[in-house]
Amino acid sequence: MQTTTLSFENLHNHGELFANMLRARRELFIVQNKWDLPEALGMEFDQYDTPASRWVVVHDEFGRVLAGNRLTPTTAEVGIYSYMIRDAQRGLLNTIPMELLYDPAPVGEHVWESSRLFVAHDVPANRRRRVHAKLVMELTKAARSLGATNCLTLLNANWPRWAGRVGVDMTAMGPVMNIDGINNQVVSMNFAANLH
């Protein structure tokens, strides 16, 4: 099992890995979860997949994607869009409630957003915890290398059960909300104590 953090600067060094990650996202989010998201050429994407973002990918030696995640700076601006959580709060996204945060969405160089976190649906149950832990470890490493002290993310509200197991300090940033029959909550992953 390998981990790679992709950027527009290094995509060319990793063959089909970026496309495979977008294909895995489509398989999970569009095919399995039945979410209404943009797709083309068998890949899921949205307005936040830009050169400002990074993508953390867990994969095997053949490029088969096991898990992934996108990191977007909260300072990003692309037309009317910034980052998913902030744009939802501003009423720009009709699929996520505007009341997802207790306070205004932060904007700052040290705060990034973690979104589109997934473990591929065909990863066997006996490997899922290890794959998820590997993803969170690489996400932490990537965020720290970008200077992030915090990452905001919209997660399944069961996060308190596993946050300690993966070694990330998490704090609720908004209420538990039911989105498509699943309880979700915005949390902040705090990396400040471990930045070097």
Side-chain angles (χ1 to χ4, degrees):
M1 190 175 351
Q2 302 172 13
T3 56
T4 302
T5 297
L6 297 170
S7 70
F8 268 56
E9 291 179 319
N10 71 7
L11 289 179
H12 65 283
N13 295 325
H14 299 284
E16 287 282 304
L17 189 58
F18 184 69
N20 288 344
M21 186 255 325
L22 295 177
R23 289 180 187 113
R25 279 180 22 182
R26 179 188 177 276
E27 180 63 28
L28 181 66
F29 297 129
I30 295 175
V31 175
Q32 298 294 319
N33 292 356
K34 309 275 190 249
W35 291 359
D36 183 20
L37 299 171
E39 64 176 303
L41 304 172
M43 295 176 258
E44 181 270 320
F45 66 96
D46 66 21
Q47 63 270 33
Y48 307 107
D49 291 306
T50 73
S53 293
R54 307 293 187 275
W55 300 266
V56 176
V57 185
V58 179
H59 55 96
D60 66 17
E61 63 273 16
F62 305 109
R64 180 175 163 264
V65 174
L66 306 173
N69 182 74
R70 176 180 58 211
L71 291 169
T72 303
T74 60
T75 56
E77 292 184 12
V78 180
I80 63 170
Y81 298 105
S82 58
Y83 66 95
M84 190 179 70
I85 291 170
R86 182 170 183 247
D87 291 347
Q89 188 180 55
R90 293 167 52 210
L92 297 176
L93 306 178
N94 59 7
T95 55
I96 302 172
M98 292 174 61
E99 303 79 22
L100 75 169
L101 291 169
Y102 297 131
D103 298 310
V107 175
E109 291 186 16
H110 65 284
V111 182
W112 285 60
E113 177 187 58
S114 167
S115 60
R116 286 297 196 265
L117 188 141
F118 72 93
V119 175
H121 77 281
D122 59 350
V123 172
N126 63 346
R127 293 188 68 203
R128 291 184 82 76
R129 182 181 281 186
R130 185 168 169 248
V131 168
H132 187 252
K134 192 88 162 162
L135 176 64
V136 172
M137 284 177 20
E138 184 68 14
L139 162 67
T140 301
K141 180 179 156 190
R144 288 176 182 155
S145 75
L146 295 165
T149 58
N150 296 82
C151 272
L152 295 182
T153 188
L154 179 61
L155 292 176
N156 188 304
N158 71 2
W159 63 268
R161 289 191 349 224
W162 55 264
R165 286 195 303 246
V166 295
V168 178
D169 176 31
M170 294 185 177
T171 305
M173 300 297 288
V176 174
M177 306 166 299
N178 188 287
I179 302 173
D180 291 333
I182 299 170
N183 285 333
N184 290 276
Q185 189 172 32
V186 175
V187 301
S188 176
M189 296 181 282
N190 181 6
F191 305 129
N194 299 322
L195 274 175
H196 299 318

